Amino acid sequence: MNILVTGGLGFIGSNFILHLIQNHPDIKIINVDAEVLGSNKKNLTHLKNKNYKYVKGNITNKKLLKKLIPRVDSVINFAAESHVDRSISNSEPFLKSNILGVYSILDTIRKNSKKTKFLQISTDEVFGSKSKGSAKEEDIFHPSNPYSASKASAELIIESYLKTYDLDIMITRCTNNFGPRQFPEKLIPKTIIRSIKNLKIPIYGTGKNIRDWLYVEDHCDAITKVLLNGKNGESYNISGNNLLSNIKLVKKILKNLDQPEELIDYVIDRPGHDLRYSLDSSKIRHKLGWKPKQKFDKSLSETIDWYLKNKSWWKDLATKQMLSPTPWKKYRK
Ligand SMILES: NC(=O)c1ccc[n+]([C@@H]2O[C@H](COP(=O)([O-])OP(=O)(O)OC[C@H]3O[C@@H](n4cnc5c(N)ncnc54)[C@H](O)[C@@H]3O)[C@@H](O)[C@H]2O)c1
């Protein structure tokens, strides 16, 4: 099997490539990444494997896609602008990568390689805030910020290509991931790194916003199951049922690092900040036999250890801008 992974120098993409090489060493992988914010070449520099090839490139570049896609059986699209706060400051890169990029992949498959399977990595954020209950695959989208709107738009374009051109497409939607190699701008690494540096830990609003956390390795396992056994035209929600408010999560990290709760600093909330995300993942559990293997507290503690042991990975990335307490704020008119 030959696969094209896009965005494989980012957090989940790099973990997915390492997961595949370890568990399915026979699969040949081409990784295309534009090396924009979120990527880190160090994520895979240690990877020397005859079945892995890296190409620097953009998923909006149809010429490049036309060369690569006919060579592979499947495309798995992780490539995206992924930070909500940055989408509030400047949504254009999000619309380009997350919508035009997906369109470019779909159209290349339609015109050049109809047998190639396409797996889109989407997000729970497309459903918007769920004050109670959990979103099912068929629920209506209610995105609240330019990032989630761009991911929801991509899904609608995918649905149109599925119905109009009869392509082989699947979608996964996952809740918040955590684990090694996540960019310092995201909540968990930012909290760990600021805490290591004895800096105040910013909490948006009341800190009561709830997210459902999944260890990245469990997400990679779920994606692999969908890739190998998922059904054409279907979407699969992926969640670990670890619902936690931001304030409880931050307190757990501080406790783990022996830091006082006095470091917590409540800051002005982000506009359009969804209160609660929750997915019903019974479909993937029943149909594909997936369930998370990792326990939340243990994997959180391992993630903290990873950041403690890999300062050289984040030292140059942990700039003032990346660790800003309110990165969206400076862009407000
Ligand atoms: N991180 C999460 O908690 C989470 C949860 C659910 C879904 N997702 C989805 O998973 C995917 C990966 O997320 P992540 O957290 O690893 O993001 P990330 O920002 O760490 O990595 C994204 C990668 O995509 C690359 N990229 C961006 N635009 C590109 C383009 N136009 N062409 C080629 N490469 C491009 C970047 O260089 C980067 O390496 C995204 O599609 C995201 O929407 C993430």
Side-chain angles (χ1 to χ4, degrees):
M1 193 181 192
N2 290 289
I3 66 166
L4 177 65
V5 172
T6 67
L9 288 187
F11 164 48
I12 307 175
S14 61
N15 278 289
F16 178 73
I17 288 172
L18 295 171
H19 175 88
L20 262 196
I21 285 176
Q22 180 149 17
N23 295 288
H24 298 274
D26 46 322
I27 296 181
K28 293 197 169 92
I29 304 165
I30 305 173
N31 172 17
V32 171
D33 198 297
E35 296 181 21
V36 294
L37 263 183
S39 72
N40 189 345
K41 274 188 143 175
K42 284 185 195 158
N43 286 345
L44 295 177
T45 36
H46 60 290
L47 184 57
K48 305 268 179 277
N49 188 294
K50 64 176 173 29
N51 282 346
Y52 170 75
K53 189 180 166 202
Y54 174 66
V55 178
K56 181 177 177 184
N58 201 300
I59 57 164
T60 56
N61 179 347
K62 280 187 166 184
K63 239 176 153 179
L64 174 68
L65 296 179
K66 196 175 164 187
K67 258 203 260 167
L68 298 176
I69 289 181
R71 291 192 212 160
V72 299
D73 305 294
S74 305
V75 178
I76 309 170
N77 182 38
F78 293 92
E81 293 285 351
S82 68
H83 193 42
V84 173
D85 294 58
R86 275 196 280 113
S87 83
I88 295 170
S89 76
N90 178 15
S91 38
E92 194 167 316
F94 288 72
L95 308 193
K96 283 188 175 150
S97 286
N98 303 4
I99 306 175
L100 255 188
V102 168
Y103 151 76
S104 304
I105 296 172
L106 289 168
D107 218 48
T108 306
I109 292 177
R110 164 172 97 84
K111 291 182 179 145
N112 305 285
S113 189
K114 275 194 93 167
K115 276 188 290 184
T116 300
K117 191 187 286 201
F118 179 44
L119 173 53
Q120 166 72 353
I121 307 303
S122 193
T123 165
D124 59 351
E125 296 207 20
V126 295
F127 296 116
S129 204
K130 294 285 295 178
S131 56
K132 56 181 190 306
S134 305
K136 282 188 170 289
E137 280 78 1
E138 58 278 11
D139 281 9
I140 293 170
F141 295 161
H142 289 291
S144 306
N145 56 66
Y147 162 70
S148 53
S150 69
K151 297 294 286 188
S153 306
E155 287 210 36
L156 295 180
I157 293 164
I158 288 172
E159 198 176 336
S160 78
Y161 267 68
L162 190 68
K163 289 178 179 160
T164 311
Y165 304 112
D166 191 27
L167 304 185
D168 190 349
I169 310 179
M170 295 177 293
I171 296 173
T172 60
R173 299 183 198 100
C174 191
T175 56
N176 277 38
N177 282 220
F178 68 101
R181 292 180 284 277
Q182 187 169 29
F183 217 62
E185 64 188 344
K186 304 283 169 60
L187 177 63
I188 288 184
K190 187 190 269 190
T191 303
I192 299 170
I193 294 169
R194 287 189 68 103
S195 171
I196 293 171
K197 287 172 168 270
N198 281 313
L199 295 170
K200 289 265 183 202
I201 309 299
I203 290 274
Y204 287 162
T206 59
K208 290 189 176 145
N209 302 66
I210 290 174
R211 298 293 180 263
D212 187 351
W213 292 94
L214 185 72
Y215 191 54
V216 66
E217 185 64 18
D218 279 323
H219 186 194
C220 295
D221 185 34
I223 295 168
T224 310
K225 284 213 156 55
V226 173
L227 176 71
L228 299 178
N229 303 309
K231 210 169 137 209
N232 181 22
E234 298 282 322
S235 61
Y236 298 89
N237 288 350
I238 303 167
S239 65
N241 303 337
N242 292 309
L243 289 153
L244 208 63
S245 66
N246 288 349
I247 185 68
K248 279 195 179 152
L249 173 67
V250 163
K251 283 183 180 173
K252 269 181 190 283
I253 296 172
L254 289 176
K255 192 166 176 214
N256 189 298
L257 285 163
D258 275 330
Q259 286 283 38
E261 288 185 6
E262 284 66 44
L263 278 185
I264 291 170
D265 186 21
Y266 290 92
V267 298
I268 183 166
D269 204 356
R270 181 175 81 197
H273 195 182
D274 285 324
L275 186 62
R276 177 178 175 273
Y277 294 137
S278 177
L279 287 183
D280 179 332
S281 56
S282 45
K283 179 175 171 182
I284 190 171
R285 290 170 189 248
H286 292 136
K287 301 258 181 209
L288 301 182
W290 172 85
K291 64 173 186 212
K293 293 179 185 135
Q294 314 296 332
K295 293 272 171 279
F296 177 76
D297 283 334
K298 184 165 176 279
S299 35
L300 180 64
S301 165
E302 283 167 12
T303 301
I304 294 169
D305 280 351
W306 188 87
Y307 282 91
L308 283 168
K309 284 187 189 128
N310 289 278
K311 284 190 184 153
S312 60
W313 182 93
W314 55 260
K315 200 168 58 74
D316 296 338
L317 300 174
T319 58
K320 231 177 167 181
Q321 193 196 347
M322 282 303 120
L323 297 183
S324 161
T326 49
W328 55 270
K329 202 174 167 188
K330 65 185 164 122
Y331 310 111
R332 253 190 344 172
K333 287 240 162 88

